[in-house]
Amino acid sequence: MNSQLNYHPANPDDLELILSLMQEFYAEDQIAFDIGRARRSVAELLARPELGSILLLSEQGTPDGHGILVLILSFTLEHGGLFVLLDELYLQPSLRGRGLGKKAIQLARRWAVDKGAHAMRLEVHHHNPEAKALYGKHGFEDDHRDVLTLWL
């Protein structure tokens, strides 16, 4: 079944919904969720659209807020300048298996191209082969690098 993806840019009134979706996503993907850090970062992104965008996703005919797509603008010399980090893509389980993940990736790609980006990157956990397969099917390549983090 192939459904229509509805989306709209989030605004500050959507903060609690975004945090709820993030918490679901992080629990499913086994990522530690710090509500204070999440609240601050979401509020900052919503207040500074030059950094990127949070899009709320839903299936046509359903209420908004069954998924999120977070796109962050960044810059790297290696990839020719501006690139987009697909920071978060989450669809609640009830929306999966209908082609909406594919449509969300296509939406992210159009958003990145519209911003003038030369590449789009993302992180996927090793324990999530379904997500890795979905991204691979849509042109994302494993560049055989490990992500390292230094908390400041």
Side-chain angles (χ1 to χ4, degrees):
M1 179 182 200
N2 219 355
S3 296
Q4 280 296 112
L5 178 71
N6 287 343
Y7 66 91
H8 73 271
N11 64 60
D13 293 338
D14 298 313
L15 178 64
E16 295 305 319
L17 173 59
I18 294 165
L19 293 172
S20 173
L21 290 165
M22 286 177 66
Q23 191 165 19
E24 288 176 29
F25 173 44
Y26 284 34
E28 183 177 309
D29 214 28
Q30 302 170 23
I31 302 170
F33 184 73
D34 179 324
I35 187 71
R37 182 171 59 216
R39 185 178 301 283
R40 285 187 305 276
S41 61
V42 169
E44 182 172 0
L45 183 56
L46 291 172
R48 298 183 60 196
E50 72 276 8
L51 297 176
S53 185
I54 300 173
L55 302 176
L56 291 173
L57 308 175
S58 62
E59 183 177 29
Q60 185 173 353
T62 66
D64 287 341
H66 291 284
I68 55 173
L69 176 62
V70 180
L71 302 162
I72 307 297
L73 291 166
S74 194
F75 193 93
T76 177
L77 299 177
E78 181 180 346
H79 293 96
L82 192 64
F83 77 93
V84 168
L85 173 65
L86 195 167
D87 190 45
E88 312 275 351
L89 172 53
Y90 175 69
L91 292 170
Q92 290 179 320
S94 64
L95 293 186
R96 296 178 193 163
R98 296 185 175 109
L100 296 173
K102 172 184 177 179
K103 290 178 179 179
I105 292 169
Q106 292 168 340
L107 171 61
R109 184 184 183 117
R110 284 192 311 272
W111 190 92
V113 168
D114 288 348
K115 297 294 181 186
H118 302 283
M120 189 163 40
R121 302 191 80 192
L122 58 81
E123 297 174 22
V124 62
H125 274 276
H126 299 288
H127 65 260
N128 195 344
E130 294 87 7
K132 191 170 185 177
L134 173 69
Y135 294 127
K137 223 164 91 170
H138 295 285
F140 285 88
E141 299 173 7
D142 184 346
D143 59 8
H144 304 287
R145 296 180 187 208
D146 292 323
V147 175
L148 307 177
T149 303
L150 171 65
W151 294 98
L152 305 174

